[in-house]
Amino acid sequence: MKHIITLTVLLFTCLLGFSQEEDDKAKQKAIKSSNNYTWEGNKNLDQNKFAEAEADYRKAISKNGENSNASYNLGNAYYTNETYSEAFGRFKQAGEKATSKPEKHKAYHNMGNVFMKRKEYEKAVEAYKQALRNNPTDEETRYNLALAKELLKKQQEEDEKNQDKNQDDKNQDQKDKEDKKEDNKDQDKENQDQKDQKDKGDEGDQKDQKDKEDNKEGDGDKKKEEEKQPKDKKGDKPQEQPQPRPNQLSKQQIQNLLEAMQNEEKKVQDKIDAKKVKGVKVKNEKDW
């Protein structure tokens, strides 16, 4: 019984070892195939055959997901083709799969370059810092970091200026709204004053019209009253012959009386003249 158990264990160990060996062989085969596709991709990329290079790199990654070189090189292909979003994804993948510091350094350095193209300077600064942690001696990365910091500073100043301008514009808009509101209130008040003045004028016109109508009605009543009474003014009433006052001679009577007096006076004068003629002596002169 003991021998049977021992044989079973040995058999299981052999099978397990054989399976592990097969897995190792398959893995090595996949790695080799992935490396071959990576090499083909590099060759096509050098010949500016982007589509063929992209296909080779994708096959290389599918054969071996740990192939950071294939991801990094595919990222470079996208970067050269200015497909920066795809490039960043492949650089990020390469940085995560890389097992050595030089590989990580290259991946983060190029991630920083993508951020610079996007003008995401704050992220570029962090990517270059991460690259320098893996290779502090790289002068190109150090230069890119300094440039990213300078551009970040200018961007922040510009953002602050724009923020102040936006705030000023917002304050100005608020002031304009308040001024417009005040103008509308003043206009409404002016319109109301004009309306009140017009209403008052209309009331005055109505009162004047009523007064005119009342005066007209009063004139009518007065005219009726005057028509009832005798008229005594020239042009309004017929003239009446003046009547002699009691114990007063009329004009004709006075005229007759004057003529009679003149006649009597004449008669008296004639008598006087007649007596003067009789009493005058006639002087006879001798005719010598």
Side-chain angles (χ1 to χ4, degrees), residues 79 84 88 91 108-129 140-153 155:
Y79 187 89
Y84 298 120
F88 175 78
F91 290 141
Y108 283 112
H109 178 96
N110 283 9
M111 286 170 64
N113 291 347
V114 172
F115 286 131
M116 291 287 280
K117 289 290 185 179
R118 292 178 176 178
K119 296 183 179 181
E120 297 176 357
Y121 302 122
E122 186 172 1
K123 292 181 179 180
V125 168
E126 294 302 320
Y128 289 134
K129 284 182 178 180
E140 184 178 354
T141 303
R142 194 175 300 280
Y143 172 83
N144 287 0
L145 175 61
L147 179 61
K149 287 181 177 180
E150 183 65 23
L151 293 175
L152 175 61
K153 181 180 178 182
Q155 186 182 61

Side-chain angles (χ1 to χ4, degrees), residues 220-232:
D221 295 339
K222 183 177 181 182
K223 185 175 181 182
K224 291 179 181 179
E225 186 65 26
E226 289 176 350
E227 288 176 352
K228 293 179 182 179
Q229 297 178 357
K231 298 181 180 180
D232 55 0

Side-chain angles (χ1 to χ4, degrees), residues 180-194:
K180 186 175 181 181
K181 188 176 180 181
E182 290 296 326
D183 292 341
N184 291 335
K185 289 173 73 173
D186 294 339
Q187 185 64 39
D188 292 341
K189 185 177 183 301
E190 183 177 351
N191 293 338
Q192 185 63 39
D193 292 341
Q194 291 178 354

